[in-house]
Amino acid sequence: MKHDATDAHTLAAAYALGALDDDERTYFEDHLRTCEACRQEATEFEATTARLAAAVSYTPPAAAKAQVVAAIDGVRQLPPRVPAPSTAPVLRGFLRRRAASLALAACVAAAALGGVAVWRTQDGQDLERQARQAQQRLDEVSAVLAAPDARTVHGKAANGALTTVVASDRQNKAVFTAAGLPAPGEGKTYQLWLDHNGTMRPAGLIDHDGTVILTGSPADAAGVGLTLEPTGGSPRPTTDPLLLMALPA
């Protein structure tokens, strides 16, 4: 696929939502390696996406399930999807310029549909508890990203993943984001570490692309590490680090 050099700067929102095809994702990840502005924008869109998802999470009315089941027979089946003809370059450019707004709208719809899927498999109390926990985590992430003293540093892991750490002294917390993180493999997970005077202390787990709050206080830490560990994590690193990155000063 041929890309215009100016298109890359419009793809951050769609990338954060996982809405790019394989060619576009590869193209944008190559661009991220040289564009700090897009790395920051993609990180912010990931946090926004998560917040929008939480915003539509709620416990459905008790009668909702019966109403949905009763209405199924009366819903008209959609016609088969027919591939559209090739899009002209001018239209493709226009759509990419609209990527951010369309991606955010798609996020709301996807979050709503995801909420229905969860509701059908879990009872209301479990859903409400998970929604509260998710909202709390999102609030913590947002507080760090929005902190007046937030500082950002970017890195690249040995396995090719692009990483970002945002730290705030005021919040005494740090946020870690990974993009392009390969699957850890069966029985494995990625573990984060905080370097305290040469001692690596566990700072949380991450097994796929996304954003997490580092556990523990980053106040006295000099850096962040990433290793591949057995599922559940380890009390100390058992493999060579995939990433050692100084915390933003």
Side-chain angles (χ1 to χ4, degrees):
M1 179 179 292
K2 184 178 180 181
H3 298 274
D4 189 296
T6 61
D7 287 345
H9 301 290
T10 68
L11 298 178
Y15 176 78
L17 288 171
L20 300 179
D21 61 30
D22 291 341
D23 288 342
E24 288 176 326
R25 181 181 180 87
T26 299
Y27 168 70
F28 187 68
E29 287 179 347
D30 288 342
H31 172 73
L32 283 178
R33 293 183 175 90
T34 59
C35 182
E36 181 176 353
C38 282
R39 287 197 298 266
Q40 178 65 29
E41 186 174 23
T43 298
E44 293 171 351
F45 269 124
E46 286 174 348
T48 300
T49 298
R51 176 165 288 279
L52 285 171
V56 299
S57 297
Y58 66 95
T59 303
K65 182 175 181 179
Q67 293 172 353
V68 171
V69 172
I72 288 176
D73 291 338
V75 177
R76 182 179 178 181
Q77 184 173 346
L78 293 175
R81 297 180 63 182
V82 179
S86 297
T87 307
V90 173
L91 180 57
R92 280 203 301 269
F94 171 76
L95 291 176
R96 287 200 180 102
R97 287 192 295 272
R98 295 292 304 279
S101 58
L102 292 176
L104 291 178
C107 171
V108 175
L113 292 175
V116 172
V118 172
W119 160 59
R120 293 184 63 183
T121 57
Q122 299 175 340
D123 62 50
Q125 290 183 346
D126 284 345
L127 179 59
E128 185 176 356
R129 174 179 53 80
Q130 291 177 7
R132 286 198 303 268
Q133 292 174 345
Q135 183 64 55
Q136 181 178 358
R137 290 193 297 269
L138 292 170
D139 287 343
E140 291 176 356
V141 169
S142 298
V144 175
L145 297 180
D149 65 337
R151 305 176 311 281
T152 303
V153 64
H154 302 287
K156 182 179 179 181
N159 57 12
L162 300 175
T163 63
T164 299
V165 174
V166 181
S168 166
D169 289 338
R170 179 177 298 185
Q171 297 290 326
N172 193 25
K173 291 179 182 177
V175 171
F176 179 89
T177 296
L181 193 66
E186 185 176 358
K188 298 289 185 179
T189 190
Y190 294 105
Q191 186 163 0
L192 293 160
W193 307 87
L194 284 172
D195 179 4
H196 290 271
N197 297 320
T199 299
M200 303 301 288
R201 297 179 182 175
L205 306 176
I206 184 170
D207 59 9
H208 53 75
D209 288 356
T211 299
V212 296
I213 288 277
L214 296 179
T215 59
S217 171
D220 300 323
V224 175
L226 179 72
T227 61
L228 189 61
E229 301 293 337
T231 298
S234 305
R236 60 186 61 84
T238 64
T239 61
D240 292 335
L242 297 168
L243 173 75
L244 285 174
M245 184 166 59
L247 280 171

